[in-house]
């Protein structure tokens, strides 16, 4: 104990031991002491020596300290000393070390001023980093050590938890990937670290944020786990509690952690959007009217908040996720709030630049957001559109370079997939829409295009090219633009003025911008190509530029001139006789050479700045001089380079053959299209006829239902009649001497009842005849409509069978009525035999007349059913004929398609045969040439082809003379 007190108090008692000896003795004491107090004092002494003697403590004491963490879990004080000692050994925090030794190690010169010791400091820091990395690697070799630290974080004691958080953060800084893997497989490892955000002690919570920042770096799996542990909710709550953008360093740490969780992690981005956390970002950007109080921390916080918005709508995200986030930002008012900052006064330049970039990506490709941005006006007098105000900054050479780049990016995003916006920009250049009293976007672009500042020229040219991107209509409209170059001279077109400036030999940046504009303008627009070639000076200028051998700076201009000339060849409609495709290719072959032309065309993609511009849409350049390529233009070059090379190398015969093949294929396509349309029409007709047949079937079902009802009624009448007949027979047998007046009375009642029943039956037959007539009319209509088309044969067969069944039912009904009539006549005869009353006989004759009328009507119905049967047969025959015609048309289409496939196969085979023949001829020529050389070498006389031709011609002339 006295020894420990001497070390701690620094008292000198005789010769002082060295640092290594002292540390060795302290380690022995930690390892061998049985009393907890002795071990605690030894660990405290090691802590005090760990910064000065970092190497010695780390080498000798690390294992003993880890053992303390494992065995002395019950004493929080010794745990805290051990964790602090390990932290001092592993930490590479330069600021903390400088604070500790600031007064002792600052060298002073003879004049009293501090010496410049930057190089030794850098060397010492590098050695310190290496030492921390070595000790960290040694510590994490055993994964149980990291697991032990995670378990210690569950201790609530401040002296244990805080050093544990700092130590784990240092481990992650030095060996992040390895420690992340250990924590990821540890049960509840990430959850324990997330609990730090809920600690009521701000120091632990804030250091927990730093720990989570290191933990979530470049590890998507841990990022997802942290996000699903309610990290977004907790972090946003902390930001709100700390004052949002007006908060301190804690807000910055929260925003950095949010960026780690969301950047390049589509799963977390979707979770953030679905959790409605985008709506909670809107209050961050609510700035007051007084914008004078912009502290450095507020600027940093707001800058990170804007970056967080950009992460959600970055162009590298999937299009669907980006569109969904853009929609949410518009609906919750976040875009409106950003536009307010954009048009506010007193905003710092870097915040304004980042806000412009953020608004750019929020509106990029979203029609609704682009329309809203077009409606935003700056708070000026008179009000001006925000686009005009931003373009004024872009073409103003006194504005910062990064701000001008941001405005250009905003303009590009506003026009991206926005044909409506492109039309509005181009319309401001047309003569009919120019307003002399106001400044328009088109006027600013033209002014920047012809400005003395080369950067303004480039930005205006690229912005105007984006107004024409993938929009053939606006390319043709821009040809109408006329410019007044000077007083007293006629106006010239914008296209002509661009070529004039190009030929005057301005700066490289200006010429590159104009060439990119011209290439975008005439691309896929034969009318613009014709206008460009109509100027007789353009083609000679391009060929002269390409054929010259210029320096490194001019190579890019030569490549762009080659691209422009290649576009003139590829999209040439041969409307100008002097500059057809074939003549331009001959011009290239004579004055430039095809191989030289292709080589110059490749200068574009080989340029060092080309690949940088092709990476992302935002124009980011370290200096204005390196601002040469546009992202969309790099995609255009990639698309056109191959096709232009092929077009230049193709011969006229190959082009003619390709055109013939294309025409043949187009003709076959037209024939197939016609038959397809015919089949579609027939399908529609069949569909209509099927619907009509279905309606007839439904009506037939209704008629069958009514017939069944009538049959049941007839059966009831038959039963009643039989009962009445039986009753009458029994009474006549039992009462042979019945009074005449009684018999007459009974017969009169029965006849009255029969008359009513017959009348009801007649009405039912009249109704049935009417329904049959309606059905006949429907079938006649169906027959008329199917006279020129196809009909369902199976449906007509079913209809005929149903009509036949109906006819048989009607015949059965007629037979039953005849039977009833016969029975009634017998009853009347019996009644006449028993009575001489004249009234009953007159009634019987009346009933007989009615029954005769019913019989005649039933006979007429039977005849009508026969006629209907004949018509249905004719309808089925016409249906069969139409089906045969349809089958013939289908077979014709199949034959034509087969012929088309054969023609395509023959064309491909002929091409292959031609290539094979050319290869064989080339090989044969080579062999003949080699044999001739051998014969010449052997001394044999060999005639060349020219000599043989001359000799053949001489022989022919001699033969003609002899004749």
């Amino acid at each position: 104990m006295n020894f420990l007190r001497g070390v701690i108090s620094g008292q000198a008692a005789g010769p002082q031991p060295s640092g290594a000896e002292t540390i060795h003795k302290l380690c022995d004491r930690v390892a061998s002491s049985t009393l907890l107090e002795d071990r605690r004092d030894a660990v405290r002494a090691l802590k005090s020596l760990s910064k000065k003697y970092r190497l010695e403590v780390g080498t000798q004491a690390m294992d003993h300290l880890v053992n303390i963490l494992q065995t002395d879990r019950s004493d929080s004080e010794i745990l805290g000393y051990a964790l602090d000692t390990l932290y001092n050994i592993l930490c590479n925090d330069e600021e903390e070390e400088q604070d500790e030794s600031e007064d002792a190690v600052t060298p002073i010169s003879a004049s009293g001023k501090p010496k410049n010791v930057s190089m030794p400091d850098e060397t010492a820091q590098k050695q310190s980093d290496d030492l921390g990395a070595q000790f960290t690697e040694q510590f994490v070799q055993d994964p149980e050590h990291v697991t032990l630290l995670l378990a210690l974080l569950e201790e609530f004691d401040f002296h244990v938890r805080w050093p544990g958080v700092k130590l784990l953060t240092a481990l992650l800084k030095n060996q992040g990937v390895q420690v992340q893997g250990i924590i990821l497989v540890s049960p509840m490892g990430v959850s324990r670290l997330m609990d730090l955000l809920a600690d009521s002690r701000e120091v632990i919570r804030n250091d927990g944020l730093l720990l989570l920042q290191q933990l979530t770096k470049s590890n998507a799996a841990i990022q997802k786990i942290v996000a699903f542990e309610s990290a977004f909710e907790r972090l946003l709550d902390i930001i709100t509690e700390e004052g949002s953008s007006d908060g301190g360093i804690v807000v910055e740490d929260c925003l950095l952690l949010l960026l780690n969780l969301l950047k390049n992690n589509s799963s977390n981005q979707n979770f953030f959007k679905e959790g409605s956390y985008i709506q909670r970002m809107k209050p961050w950007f609510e700035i007051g009217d007084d914008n004078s109080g912009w502290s450095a921390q507020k600027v940093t916080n707001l800058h990170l908040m804007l970056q967080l918005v950009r992460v959600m709508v970055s162009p590298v995200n999937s299009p669907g996720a980006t569109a969904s986030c853009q929609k949410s930002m518009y609906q919750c008012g976040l875009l409106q709030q950003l536009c307010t900052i954009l048009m506010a006064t007193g905003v710092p330049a870097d915040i304004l630049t980042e806000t412009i970039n953020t608004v750019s990506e929020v509106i990029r490709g979203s029609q609704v957001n682009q329309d809203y941005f077009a409606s935003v006006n700056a708070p000026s007098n008179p009000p001006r559109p925000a686009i005009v105000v931003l373009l004024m900054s872009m073409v103003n050479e006194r504005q910062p370079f990064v701000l001008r780049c941001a405005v250009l990016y905003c303009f590009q995003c506003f026009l991206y997939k926005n044909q409506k916006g492109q039309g509005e920009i181009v319309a401001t250049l047309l003569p009919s829409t120019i307003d002399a009293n106001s400044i328009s976007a088109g006027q600013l672009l033209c002014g920047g295009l012809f400005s003395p500042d080369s950067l303004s020229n480039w930005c205006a040219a690229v912005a105007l090219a984006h107004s024409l991107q993938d929009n053939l209509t606006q390319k043709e409209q821009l040809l109408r633009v006329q410019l007044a170059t000077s007083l007293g001279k006629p106006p010239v077109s914008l296209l002509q003025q661009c070529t004039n400036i190009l030929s005057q030999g301005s700066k490289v940046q200006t010429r590159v911008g104009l060439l990119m504009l011209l290439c975008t303008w005439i691309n896929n627009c034969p009318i613009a190509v014709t206008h460009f070639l109509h100027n007789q000076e353009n083609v000679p200028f391009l060929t002269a530029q390409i054929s010259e051998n210029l320096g490194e700076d001019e190579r890019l201009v030569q490549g762009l001139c080659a691209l422009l000339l290649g576009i003139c060849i590829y999209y040439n409609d041969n409307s100008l006789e002097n500059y057809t495709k074939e003549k331009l290719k001959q011009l290239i072959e004579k004055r430039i050479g095809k191989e030289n032309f292709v080589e110059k065309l490749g200068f574009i993609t080989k340029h060092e700045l080309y690949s940088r511009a092709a990476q992302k849409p935002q124009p980011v350049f370290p200096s204005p001089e390196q601002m040469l390529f546009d992202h969309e233009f790099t995609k255009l070059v990639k698309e056109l380079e191959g096709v232009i090379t092929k077009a230049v190398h193709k011969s006229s015969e190959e082009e003619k053959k390709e055109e013939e093949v294309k025409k043949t294929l187009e003709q076959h396509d037209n024939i197939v299209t016609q038959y397809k349309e015919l089949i579609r029409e027939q399908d529609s007709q069949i569909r209509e006829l099927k619907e009509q047949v279905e309606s007839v079937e439904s009506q037939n079902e209704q008629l069958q239902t009514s017939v069944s009802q009538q049959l049941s009624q007839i059966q009831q009448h038959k039963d009643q009649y039989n009962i009445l007949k039986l009753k009458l027979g029994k009474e006549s047998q039992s009462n042979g001497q019945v009074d005449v007046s009684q018999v007459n009375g009974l017969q009169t009642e029965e006849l009255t009842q029969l008359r009513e029943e017959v009348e009801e039956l007649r009405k039912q037959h009249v109704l049935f005849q009417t329904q049959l007539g309606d059905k006949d009319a429907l079938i006649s209509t169906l027959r008329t409509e199917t006279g020129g088309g196809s009909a369902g044969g199976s449906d007509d067969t079913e209809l005929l069978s149903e009509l036949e069944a109906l006819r048989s039912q009607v015949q059965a009904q007629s037979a039953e009525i005849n039977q009833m009539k016969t029975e009634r006549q017998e009853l009347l005869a019996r009644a006449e035999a028993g009575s001489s009353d004249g009234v009953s006989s007159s009634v019987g004759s009346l009933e007989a007349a009615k029954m005769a009328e019913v019989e005649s009507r039933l006979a007429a119905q039977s005849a009508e059913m026969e006629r209907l049967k004949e018509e249905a047969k004719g309808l089925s025959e016409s249906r069969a004929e139409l089906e045969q015609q349809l089958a013939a048309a289908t077979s014709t289409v199949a034959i034509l398609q087969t012929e088309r496939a054969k023609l395509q196969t023959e064309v491909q085979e002929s091409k292959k045969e031609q290539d094979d023949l050319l290869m064989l001829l080339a090989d044969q020529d080579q062999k003949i040439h080699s044999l001739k050389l051998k014969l010449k070498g052997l001394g044999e006389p060999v005639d060349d082809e020219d000599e043989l031709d001359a000799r053949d011609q001489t022989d022919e002339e001699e033969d003609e003379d002899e004749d």
Side-chain angles (χ1 to χ4, degrees), residues 524-623:
N524 198 19
C525 184
I527 298 177
V529 171
T530 304
H531 278 71
F532 180 79
L533 296 176
H534 189 71
N535 186 356
Q536 302 294 329
E537 300 175 358
N538 289 340
V539 174
F541 169 75
L542 293 179
T543 54
Q545 287 287 318
I546 299 170
S547 59
E548 290 181 1
N549 293 323
L550 303 174
E552 293 290 333
D553 296 338
E554 298 292 333
R555 281 192 169 189
L556 178 58
V557 176
Q558 286 185 314
L560 292 173
C561 289
L563 179 66
L564 185 60
L565 186 58
I567 295 173
C568 292
I569 294 174
Y570 189 71
Y571 291 106
N572 194 338
D573 58 359
N574 297 325
S575 58
L576 293 177
E577 184 178 355
N578 294 332
Y579 294 111
T580 60
K581 286 184 179 181
E582 188 62 29
K583 290 186 177 180
L584 288 175
K585 286 192 287 186
Q586 292 175 1
L587 185 65
I588 289 176
E589 188 172 2
K590 290 179 180 178
R591 297 190 180 181
I592 303 172
K594 291 183 179 180
E595 299 300 330
N596 189 23
F597 178 85
V598 174
E599 182 183 359
K600 296 292 178 68
L601 183 62
F603 285 166
I604 302 175
T605 54
K606 293 178 182 178
H607 198 278
E608 58 182 355
L609 297 176
Y610 175 86
S611 58
R612 181 183 299 178
Q615 291 176 359
K616 56 183 180 179
Q618 183 181 0
V620 180
F621 301 96
S623 63

Side-chain angles (χ1 to χ4, degrees), residues 73-74 76 79 149-158 160-162 196 199 201 204:
R73 293 285 298 273
S74 59
S76 60
L79 290 178
L149 285 180
L150 293 174
L152 290 174
L153 290 180
E154 293 184 351
E155 296 288 339
F156 188 73
D157 192 287
F158 180 81
V160 177
R161 202 171 200 183
W162 187 38
L196 298 174
D199 200 303
R201 294 160 293 192
I204 295 178

Side-chain angles (χ1 to χ4, degrees), residues 709-727 753-754 757-758 760-761 764 812-821 823-824 827:
Q709 292 176 357
Q710 292 178 2
L711 288 173
S712 62
Q713 292 178 0
I714 291 172
Q715 186 64 32
Q716 290 176 2
H717 293 315
K718 184 177 180 181
D719 295 340
Q720 293 176 2
Y721 180 74
N722 292 332
I723 293 171
L724 181 61
K725 185 171 67 173
L726 291 173
K727 286 182 179 181
Q753 185 177 1
L754 284 174
E757 292 176 355
V758 170
E760 184 179 358
L761 187 61
Q764 291 176 356
Q813 182 182 0
S814 177
E816 290 176 354
I817 292 174
N818 291 332
Q819 184 179 1
M820 290 176 63
K821 186 177 71 173
E823 292 174 352
R824 191 182 66 79
L827 184 59

Side-chain angles (χ1 to χ4, degrees), residues 497-550:
Q497 184 65 15
C498 290
T499 56
N500 291 341
I501 296 176
L502 192 63
S503 61
Q504 291 173 2
S506 52
K507 293 182 180 180
V508 173
Q509 192 174 36
T510 301
R511 284 182 287 163
V512 168
L514 290 172
L515 285 169
M516 288 195 298
L517 171 61
L518 291 174
C519 289
T520 307
W521 192 345
I522 69 173
N523 176 53
N524 198 19
C525 184
I527 298 177
V529 171
T530 304
H531 278 71
F532 180 79
L533 296 176
H534 189 71
N535 186 356
Q536 302 294 329
E537 300 175 358
N538 289 340
V539 174
F541 169 75
L542 293 179
T543 54
Q545 287 287 318
I546 299 170
S547 59
E548 290 181 1
N549 293 323
L550 303 174

Side-chain angles (χ1 to χ4, degrees), residues 792 830 950:
R830 188 182 302 172

